[in-house]
């Protein structure tokens, strides 16, 4: 009995001793200056991986033993260590660390650097900004956030592509978009056209390959705008670089099992349509046409609807646009699991996005799987493996001038019912000849894209000694993109139907090996040196089969035709490089950076394959000067300057003249398909290759100022750059006596100079309320100084008239077309009848480059509520609005409502007198005599957009209590809530017919309209 009692007493004492040693600690971490809560502060038990992270309201809870040391750390703040002497409540205030004013950013080759000592400009956007935007294509989520970066969405079609341009165009016909890099490995972002159709006529655009990247896996994006920032990439990044860093499990703190995050969102998309007149009926010359087989016309120049009766009753009216378009629905669901130990971390993610478009029977589906695993194999050796697999499908309709679908929707008269598709005899119901019913097109004319993409990479880091790190990285980008198009038998445009099958395969393998040396030479000197080698091989294969005329209905197989054409195109290019960079820092005040890279490109002739790029830049942190250091007003100040020479190598096979599969015109506007009568035909290309081709040359000078004021409440950055592009590669016409129509040459000169301004403000920062503002503004002035002797212009898109041209002495992208005659003062000339006199020679009627672009984003955070707003502005940039041209001539545009009166055209007669002669604003006026020149339909593309508004609420621990849910956030988002484009009459001035890979921008012709979206999202973390 005594023995049992003794054991019981010992057990109780042990329990009491254990409870005395292990204590629950709660508290709140705040800013030492204003007392505002700090979410995301890491609290660890010193010497272990255990700990916690503060919630959005700055609170935390953990269990620790007495006399253990708690370490509180947060980016931009001084770490704090506190020895735990008792349990209960422990509130901590952290001070700003002036030595960590600027975060570590990811730069070229995936190397992390302290932004403080960088001698070039860079701007980072966090992944949360992208997911908050609710954009299918992550590029669109960057709109309005980065200075000097112009991003345009090509179309409102489900799965639409986007184009990004940094600091203007540097190449006439080459690639002007930036290099895309994910976790140190370059990936493809091209927008590969489908089939052989010109987008102008029927093809429309396809997605850029950046759409494959799931925004949910992006940790951050760093935009390298200047040549000095991208010097290590050489010719890869002549247009800048978009550095994508994906998420990992390293952010999971505490070492307690697995962090699971689930997010689900639902969006509704409403089309944003141009305006239409509803006052006049279908017809011509005031005579009503009912749209029946005997009375068809594309015109709405009939009688007034309010006076029109059919069979004694008022004529019925409809809304063809409303009856065609639908509310788009997008769902985006994702789940991820992440965790870490002292030696490893991992993250697994799966997401599924389904976008049902605003056009019936169009959709975009993307399933994405991502895995990241990092482990320390030894104290000196670390391995990281990232795998990204994407599977997507995209059902689209052709867009463009002869697409039928939008022509029939926008120009449909309000007295014609778009439904039903067929009449009682089984014939298509159309309001004009030669055009399919738009609803028939959605069901029977389809372009289906299917993609499988695999992006793996492996990075090995070995640090044999403290001052040396060796990095080996190999990555790949492989995808197969299938395109299946069919147009059913019974089509009015192709009565026997048509189809094509295309399979495009892309493969890129990239290898980098580099060594980084870091030594402190003396008490105030610090030296970093990096030497490396890069090898990249890119190959692609495009297999295309088309059939013109099908034998069996609804059987869309290439064998279902007696007229089949095949083509195959293959590409292989390699680039080998060596590079180096040295950074010398003096006393964290002066930094000198010298970079060099030499490329050997297979696309250039042997004698010219090697080309070297130097770069030198410096930074002076003047806030470290005596008298300024420690200033309460100026927290940080830096001046920097850089000069860099980079280049842009040639496209594949431009150094030789190749053969191509011939096509034969039948003399009647058609084409005889080859092979014909079992005979194939090939012809030598009429474009002569250049055997002594050289790389393009780009030289850029840049200066910048970075300042932070009042304890980081104000941040101002100003950059000025001047860029000169010479030795440009393009095709120019040559004399027919050479045996060719044109030849590839090195010539030309493009100049770009501009200013970029970034302003960050925190007007209010208190315990419960914080207000952050980010403003950016940029202006780029570009000019094509010179092309080639005897060549003053190059066409890049559009019709011959109107078209998009690159013209010597003008900015990049001029609109050329018909115009009216003017006198020496620029006044329009009017003839004796009161009409404008047409100019017999096409002339420049617009410039597509905007004068400036800017954006503003703001976050208002009150306790657990966050209101985020993004808006942006584009000033200038002309658009050739062919939709308005066709809608005006067809009589459906609101500008034709004044069709029963008169007007006096503003202008002068040939003798210089002001015009006073009135003319009738009738059908003839709108169809040519008064508004017939294309210059009438060039519109100013200036706009202001309320691009994104998000209201989010984070449920704190007080609400979630002891539930397994560690964090929950619910948000409501509106996208494109307001667009003010006072001079543009289309859906959205950002849209355009030509895709991301084209240099022909500003051409607007029957592209799917943009949409206004409303979204709800719930995110849970366990």
């Amino acid at each position: 009995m005594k023995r049992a009692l003794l054991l019981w007493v010992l057990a109780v004492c042990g329990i009491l001793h254990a409870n005395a040693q292990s204590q629950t600690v709660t508290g709140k971490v705040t800013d030492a200056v204003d007392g505002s809560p700090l979410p995301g502060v890491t609290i660890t038990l010193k010497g272990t991986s255990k700990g916690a992270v503060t919630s959005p309201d700055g609170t935390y809870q953990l269990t620790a033993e007495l006399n253990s040391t708690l370490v509180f750390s947060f980016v931009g703040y001084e770490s704090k260590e506190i020895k735990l002497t008792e349990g209960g409540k422990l509130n901590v205030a952290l001070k700003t660390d002036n030595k960590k004013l600027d975060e570590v950013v990811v730069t070229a080759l995936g190397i992390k650097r302290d932004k403080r000592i960088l001698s070039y400009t860079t701007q980072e956007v966090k992944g949360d900004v992208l997911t908050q935007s609710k954009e299918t294509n992550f590029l669109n989520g960057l709109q309005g956030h980065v200075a000097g970066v112009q991003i345009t969405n090509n179309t409102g079609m489900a799965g639409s592509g986007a184009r990004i341009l940094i600091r203007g165009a540097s190449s006439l016909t080459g690639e002007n978009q930036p290099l895309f890099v994910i976790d140190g490995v370059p990936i493809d972002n091209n927008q590969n056209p489908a089939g052989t159709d010109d987008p102008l006529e029927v093809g429309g655009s396809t997605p850029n390959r950046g759409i494959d990247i799931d925004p949910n896996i992006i940790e951050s994006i760093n935009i390298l705008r200047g040549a000095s920032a991208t010097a290590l990439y050489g010719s890869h990044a002549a247009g800048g670089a978009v550095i994508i860093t994906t998420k990992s499990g390293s952010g999971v703190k505490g070492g307690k099992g697995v962090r699971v995050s689930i997010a689900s969102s639902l969006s509704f998309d409403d089309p944003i349509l141009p305006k239409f007149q509803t006052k006049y009926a279908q017809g011509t010359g005031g005579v009503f046409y009912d749209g029946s087989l005997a009375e068809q016309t594309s015109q709405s120049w009939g009688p007034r609807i309010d006076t029109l009766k059919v069979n004694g009753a008022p004529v019925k009216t409809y809304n063809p646009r409303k009856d065609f378009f639908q509310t788009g629905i997008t769902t985006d669901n994702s789940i991820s699991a992440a965790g870490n130990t002292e030696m490893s971390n991992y993250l697994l993610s799966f997401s599924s996005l389904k976008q049902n478009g605003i056009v019936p029977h169009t959709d975009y589906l993307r399933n994405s799987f991502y895995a990241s695993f990092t482990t320390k194999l030894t104290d000196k050796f670390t391995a990281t493996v990232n795998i990204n697999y994407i599977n997507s499908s995209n059902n689209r309709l052709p867009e463009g001038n002869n697409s039928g679908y939008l022509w029939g929707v926008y120009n449909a008269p309000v007295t014609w019912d778009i439904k039903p598709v067929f009449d009682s005899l089984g014939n298509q119901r159309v309001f004009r000849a030669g055009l399919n019913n738009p609803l028939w097109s959605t069901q029977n004319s389809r372009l289906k894209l299917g993609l499988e993409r695999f992006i793996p990479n492996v990075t090995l880091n070995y640090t044999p000694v403290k001052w040396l790190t060796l990095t080996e990285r190999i990555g790949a980008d492989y995808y197969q993109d299938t395109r299946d198009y069919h147009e059913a038998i019974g089509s009015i445009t192709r009565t026997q139907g048509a189809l094509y099958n295309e399979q495009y395969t892309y493969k890129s393998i990239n290898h980098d090996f580099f060594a980084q040396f870091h030594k402190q030479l003396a008490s105030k000197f610090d030296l970093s040196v990096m030497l490396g080698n890069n090898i990249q091989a890119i190959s692609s294969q495009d297999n295309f089969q088309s059939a013109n005329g099908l034998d069996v209905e609804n059987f869309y197989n290439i064998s279902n035709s007696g007229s089949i054409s095949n083509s195959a195109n293959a590409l292989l290019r390699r680039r080998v490089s060596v590079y180096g960079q040295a950074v010398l820092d003096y006393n964290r005040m002066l930094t000198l950076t010298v970079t060099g890279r030499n490329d050997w490109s297979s696309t250039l002739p042997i004698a010219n394959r090697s080309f070297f790029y130097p770069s030198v830049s410096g930074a002076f942190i003047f806030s470290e000067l005596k008298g300024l250091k420690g200033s309460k007003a100026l927290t940080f100040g830096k001046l920097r300057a850089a000069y860099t020479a980079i280049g842009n190598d040639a496209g594949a096979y431009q150094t030789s003249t190749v053969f191509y599969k011939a096509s034969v015109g039948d003399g009647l506007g058609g084409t005889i398909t080859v092979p014909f009568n079992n005979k194939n035909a090939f012809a030598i290309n009429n474009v002569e290759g250049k055997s002594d081709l050289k790389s393009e040359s780009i030289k850029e000078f840049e200066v910048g100022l970075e300042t932070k004021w009042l304890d980081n409440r104000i941040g101002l950055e100003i950059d000025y750059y001047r860029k000169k592009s010479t030795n440009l590669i393009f095709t120019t016409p040559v004399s027919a006596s050479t045996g060719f129509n044109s030849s590839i040459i090195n010539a030309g000169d493009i100049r770009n100079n501009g200013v970029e301004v970034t302003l960050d403000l925190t007007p209010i920062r208190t315990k419960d309320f914080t207000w952050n503002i980010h403003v950016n503004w940029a202006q780029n002035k570009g000019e094509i100084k010179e092309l080639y002797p005897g060549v003053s212009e190059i066409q890049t898109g559009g019709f011959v008239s109107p078209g998009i041209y690159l013209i010597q002495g003008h900015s990049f992208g001029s609109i050329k077309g018909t115009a009216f005659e003017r006198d020496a003062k620029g006044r329009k000339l009017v003839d004796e009848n009161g009409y404008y006199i047409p100019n017999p020679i096409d002339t420049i009627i617009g410039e597509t480059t905007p004068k400036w672009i800017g954006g503003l984003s703001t976050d208002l955070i009150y306790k657990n509520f966050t209101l985020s707003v993004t808006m942006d502005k584009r000033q200038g940039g002309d658009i050739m609005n062919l939709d308005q041209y066709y809608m005006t001539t067809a009589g459906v545009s609101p500008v034709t409502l004044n069709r029963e009166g008169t007007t006096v055209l503003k202008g002068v007669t040939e003798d210089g007198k002001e015009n006073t002669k009135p003319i009738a604003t009738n059908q003839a006026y709108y169809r040519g005599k008064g508004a017939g020149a294309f210059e009438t339909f060039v519109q100013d593309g200036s706009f202001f957009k309320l691009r994104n508004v998000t209201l989010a609420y984070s449920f704190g621990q007080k609400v979630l209590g002891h539930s397994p849910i560690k964090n929950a956030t619910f948000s409501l988002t509106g996208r494109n809530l307001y667009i003010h484009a006072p001079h543009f009459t289309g859906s959205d001035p950002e849209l355009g017919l030509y895709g991301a890979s084209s240099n022909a921008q500003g051409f607007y012709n029957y592209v799917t309209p943009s949409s206004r979206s409303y979204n709800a999202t719930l995110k849970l973390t366990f």
Side-chain angles (χ1 to χ4, degrees):
M1 180 69 180
K2 292 181 179 179
R3 184 179 180 184
L5 180 62
L6 177 62
L7 291 173
W8 182 83
V9 171
L10 291 173
V12 170
C13 291
I15 294 171
L16 291 175
H17 177 74
N19 287 336
Q21 294 296 312
S22 183
Q23 299 290 325
T24 298
V25 184
T26 62
K28 189 172 186 177
V29 183
T30 58
D31 185 288
V33 177
D34 55 25
S36 61
L38 297 178
V41 176
T42 302
I43 307 151
T44 57
L45 295 174
K46 191 172 183 179
T48 74
S49 61
K50 297 181 180 181
V53 178
T54 58
S55 62
D57 58 0
T59 60
Y60 71 94
Q61 178 178 326
L62 54 77
T63 301
E65 295 183 359
L66 290 177
N67 297 318
S68 61
T69 301
L70 301 182
V71 181
F72 295 79
S73 58
F74 191 50
V75 175
Y77 288 80
E78 296 179 357
S79 296
K80 197 168 190 177
E81 296 187 5
I82 299 177
K83 190 171 183 179
L84 188 63
T85 57
E86 61 180 353
K89 197 165 188 177
L90 178 61
N91 294 328
V92 177
L94 298 183
K95 295 181 180 179
T96 301
D97 187 352
N98 288 332
K99 294 182 180 180
K100 297 180 180 179
L101 290 173
D102 289 308
E103 71 277 13
V104 172
V105 294
V106 180
T107 62
L109 300 174
I111 298 172
K112 294 182 178 179
R113 296 195 185 279
D114 185 355
K115 187 179 179 182
R116 172 191 174 92
I117 63 172
L118 291 181
S119 53
Y120 51 80
T121 181
T122 177
Q123 191 169 339
E124 186 179 67
V125 178
K126 295 296 185 182
D128 291 344
V129 173
L130 306 179
T131 55
Q132 180 179 283
S133 70
K134 307 307 174 189
E135 294 281 1
T136 303
N137 195 322
F138 84 88
L139 269 182
N140 291 326
L142 294 172
Q143 290 170 319
H145 290 283
V146 185
V149 176
Q150 184 179 356
I151 299 169
T152 52
N153 197 30
N154 302 137
T155 170
M157 184 72 68
S160 65
R163 172 180 169 84
I164 177 172
L165 188 65
I166 300 175
R167 291 186 172 180
S170 301
S171 180
L172 291 170
T173 57
E175 180 60 79
N176 280 307
Q177 290 197 103
L179 172 70
F180 277 59
V181 180
I182 185 166
D183 295 324
V185 177
I187 63 170
D188 185 48
N189 180 49
N190 282 332
Q191 188 169 21
N192 304 304
T196 58
D197 291 320
D198 183 347
L200 178 66
E201 293 294 335
V202 67
S205 61
T206 54
N208 66 302
R209 291 278 54 95
I211 197 175
D212 302 332
I213 307 303
D214 176 21
N216 294 292
I217 68 170
I218 297 177
E219 178 69 29
S220 66
I221 291 181
N222 208 27
I223 305 296
L224 306 182
R225 301 197 293 260
S228 58
T230 63
L232 283 172
Y233 285 122
S235 60
H236 286 58
V242 177
I243 309 298
I244 304 169
T245 302
T246 58
K247 295 178 179 178
S248 67
S250 61
V252 180
K253 305 298 180 181
K256 295 181 179 180
V258 180
R259 179 192 67 190
V260 177
S261 297
I262 299 175
S264 182
S265 70
L266 176 65
S267 300
F268 297 94
D269 306 321
D270 293 329
I272 301 173
L273 300 174
K275 295 180 179 180
F276 301 87
Q277 69 87 8
T278 58
K279 187 176 180 180
Y280 293 92
Q282 181 181 11
T284 181
V287 178
F288 175 62
Y289 284 47
D290 63 10
S292 64
L293 187 60
E295 295 185 352
Q296 292 182 349
T297 180
S298 59
Q299 310 302 313
S300 288
W301 295 101
R304 292 171 60 104
I305 291 175
D306 57 3
T307 62
L308 178 61
K309 292 187 177 182
V310 177
N311 297 326
V315 67
K316 290 184 178 181
T317 59
Y318 308 90
N319 189 335
R321 274 61 66 176
K322 183 178 180 181
D323 293 340
F324 177 83
F325 289 104
Q326 63 184 18
T327 297
I329 299 176
T330 302
T331 58
D332 188 5
N333 300 293
S334 65
I335 181 171
S336 66
N340 64 18
T341 65
E342 293 183 8
M343 302 297 290
S344 303
N345 69 76
Y346 66 89
L347 184 142
L348 301 173
S349 172
F350 174 78
S351 69
S352 180
L353 179 140
K354 176 65 181 294
Q355 180 185 23
N356 290 311
I358 57 175
V359 176
H361 305 291
T362 62
D363 58 60
Y364 174 71
L365 172 66
R366 181 185 64 213
N367 291 318
S368 176
F369 172 77
Y370 169 75
S372 175
F373 181 73
T374 299
T375 184
K376 289 185 68 174
L377 300 174
T378 69
D379 289 339
K380 299 180 178 180
F381 190 36
T382 303
T384 298
V385 179
N386 294 325
I387 298 173
N388 195 4
Y389 171 76
I390 306 101
N391 178 283
S392 69
S393 63
N394 189 193
N395 286 299
R396 310 170 69 89
L397 284 183
E399 301 169 276
N401 191 270
N402 290 334
S403 71
Y405 125 68
L406 262 179
W407 212 112
V409 174
Y410 279 4
N411 295 310
V414 293
T415 52
W416 180 75
D417 190 1
I418 198 172
K419 303 175 182 177
V421 175
F422 298 101
D423 61 20
S424 58
L425 300 177
N427 299 313
Q428 273 198 61
R429 292 183 61 258
V430 294
F431 65 89
R432 57 152 286 180
L435 189 72
N436 289 314
N437 183 297
L439 291 176
W440 184 95
S441 296
T442 65
Q443 301 172 37
N444 297 279
S445 178
R446 189 80 52 81
L447 173 60
K448 183 174 183 179
L449 311 178
L451 177 125
E452 284 192 282
R453 189 173 191 179
F454 184 52
I455 307 174
N457 69 73
V458 178
T459 302
L460 305 175
N461 287 309
Y462 178 56
T463 307
V465 290
K466 186 177 181 180
W467 50 269
L468 173 63
T469 299
L470 304 177
T471 300
E472 176 94 7
R473 179 185 295 126
I474 186 168
D477 182 10
Y478 172 85
Y479 65 82
Q480 189 173 83
D481 187 7
T482 59
R483 295 92 175 272
D484 296 321
Y485 172 78
H486 72 261
E487 189 170 350
I489 294 175
S491 169
I492 293 175
T493 56
R494 297 180 182 177
T495 56
Q496 285 304 116
L499 66 82
Y500 69 70
N501 303 135
E502 185 176 16
Q503 186 178 79
Y504 181 82
T505 304
Y506 175 92
K507 180 171 65 176
S508 170
I509 298 177
N510 187 87
H511 174 266
D512 277 292
F513 174 78
F514 53 90
Q516 298 178 77
F517 307 84
H518 183 200
K519 273 282 190 179
Q520 190 167 354
L521 302 180
S523 60
K524 295 184 178 181
F525 284 95
D526 190 272
L527 177 65
S528 296
V529 177
M530 191 268 291
L531 298 173
N533 159 258
N534 172 260
I535 301 174
Q536 187 184 46
I538 297 175
S539 62
S540 66
Q541 179 77 32
D542 189 1
N543 297 317
F544 180 78
Q545 292 181 307
S546 64
N548 188 15
L550 307 179
D551 297 327
V552 180
E553 287 186 328
N554 301 320
F555 179 50
Y556 302 114
N557 187 284
I558 199 70
S559 63
N560 186 28
S561 176
S563 178
I564 301 173
S565 178
N566 300 277
S567 66
N569 292 289
L571 178 149
L572 175 63
R573 62 185 300 171
R574 291 189 180 93
R575 192 185 281 121
V576 178
S577 311
V578 292
Y579 48 79
Q581 185 177 76
V583 181
L584 180 63
D585 177 70
Y586 171 72
N587 202 27
R588 291 179 59 83
M589 181 189 298
L590 292 172
T591 302
L592 175 66
T593 302
V594 178
T595 305
R597 177 175 174 125
N598 200 96
D599 286 352
W600 290 265
S601 174
S602 67
T603 64
L604 294 171
I606 294 176
N608 298 330
R609 282 183 176 174
S610 174
F611 40 100
F612 178 71
Y613 307 124
S615 174
V616 60
S617 59
F620 170 42
I621 304 175
F622 57 85
S623 54
E624 290 294 310
L625 290 172
K626 187 177 180 180
L628 291 177
K629 190 173 183 178
S631 168
K632 293 183 179 180
L634 179 65
T635 312
F636 176 75
K638 178 171 69 173
L639 286 170
R640 44 182 169 71
Y643 176 80
T644 306
I646 58 174
N648 200 1
D649 62 354
Y653 313 125
Q654 290 187 312
T655 60
S656 59
T657 306
V658 299
F659 285 83
Y660 68 96
K661 191 167 187 176
S663 60
V664 183
D666 61 6
L668 299 175
T671 301
I672 299 174
T673 304
V674 174
F676 183 71
N677 286 341
N678 297 319
K679 299 294 183 181
N680 219 334
F682 293 88
I684 192 169
N685 202 312
N686 57 16
V687 178
E688 181 186 22
K690 184 176 178 63
S691 60
D692 59 346
L693 202 62
K694 298 179 181 179
S695 67
E696 298 182 338
S697 173
I698 302 172
K699 297 178 180 179
E700 183 179 83
F701 172 73
E702 175 184 355
V703 292
L705 169 69
E706 293 180 42
T707 60
K708 293 182 182 294
W709 305 80
L710 303 178
D711 194 24
N712 294 331
R713 287 195 175 219
I714 301 175
L716 175 65
E717 180 175 344
I718 303 174
D719 291 281
Y720 170 79
Y721 61 89
R722 189 170 66 241
K723 183 164 57 173
K724 180 180 179 180
S725 305
T726 57
N727 219 32
L728 304 176
I729 300 171
F730 64 99
T731 302
T732 183
V734 295
S735 171
S737 63
T738 63
F740 300 95
N741 292 336
S742 55
S743 177
I744 298 171
I745 60 171
N746 279 118
D749 182 348
I750 299 177
R751 307 289 177 92
N752 284 280
N753 63 84
V755 178
E756 299 161 344
V757 180
T758 300
L759 177 65
D760 290 293
L761 301 171
T762 304
I764 301 175
R765 188 170 64 194
T766 65
K767 180 180 179 181
D768 293 325
F769 182 65
T770 302
W771 181 18
N772 297 316
I773 301 173
H774 173 79
V775 181
N776 65 80
W777 180 90
Q779 180 186 65
N780 179 78
K781 293 182 178 180
E783 181 184 358
I784 302 171
K785 298 288 290 186
E786 183 182 358
L787 288 174
Y788 186 70
V791 178
S792 60
E793 63 185 35
I794 303 171
Q795 184 170 11
T796 58
F799 299 100
V800 174
S801 178
I804 306 298
Y805 290 79
L806 305 180
I807 301 176
Q808 184 171 303
H810 290 263
S811 60
F812 196 93
S814 300
I815 305 172
K816 190 176 178 183
T818 55
F820 299 113
E821 290 274 20
R822 286 170 166 78
D823 64 7
K825 296 181 179 180
R827 298 175 296 182
K828 292 179 183 178
L829 293 179
V830 180
D831 64 17
E832 65 275 10
N833 296 316
Y835 291 101
Y836 288 134
I837 301 174
N839 189 332
I841 302 174
D842 284 357
T843 186
I844 297 172
I845 56 179
E847 302 287 350
T848 63
T849 302
K851 295 178 180 177
W852 58 265
I853 55 176
L856 185 150
S857 58
T858 182
D859 298 309
L860 292 97
I861 306 167
Y862 177 71
K863 294 185 177 180
N864 290 1
F865 286 95
T866 301
L867 176 64
S868 301
V869 180
T870 301
M871 56 194 80
D872 61 332
K873 164 77 175 172
R874 184 177 77 187
Q875 183 63 39
D878 293 325
I879 298 172
M880 181 65 242
N881 190 348
L882 274 184
D883 286 11
Q884 181 64 17
Y885 167 75
Y886 289 115
M887 288 167 57
T888 299
T889 57
V892 296
S893 171
V895 302
T896 66
L897 282 171
N898 180 28
R899 60 179 66 177
E900 298 177 23
T902 61
T903 187
V904 176
L905 296 179
K906 186 177 181 180
V908 296
T909 58
E910 292 187 270
D911 57 6
K913 296 180 180 179
E914 184 176 348
N915 177 46
T916 58
K917 191 174 184 64
I919 57 173
T921 53
N922 53 19
Q923 181 176 349
Y925 167 79
Y926 288 108
R927 287 185 60 81
K929 286 189 175 182
F934 284 124
E935 75 162 287
T936 306
F937 305 99
V938 172
Q939 299 179 336
D940 181 356
S942 300
F943 68 80
F944 167 82
K945 280 192 176 185
L946 181 57
R947 195 172 290 278
N948 188 280
V949 178
T950 297
L951 177 63
Y953 180 78
S954 296
F955 299 87
Q957 289 296 318
K958 292 182 180 179
V959 176
L960 300 175
H962 297 287
S963 71
I965 302 175
K966 300 301 180 184
N967 190 28
T969 303
F970 178 74
S971 63
L972 297 172
T973 299
R975 186 178 62 84
N976 281 344
L977 295 181
Y978 175 70
I979 301 177
H980 178 64
H983 309 292
F984 183 72
T985 58
S987 165
D988 186 337
E990 282 192 298
L991 304 181
L993 181 61
Y994 288 93
S997 297
S998 172
N999 288 329
Q1001 302 299 307
F1003 203 85
Y1004 190 89
N1005 188 200
Y1006 291 140
V1007 292
T1008 302
S1010 187
S1011 61
R1012 183 171 290 113
S1013 302
Y1014 308 92
N1015 172 276
T1017 299
L1018 177 64
K1019 183 177 182 180
L1020 305 175
T1021 302
F1022 299 88

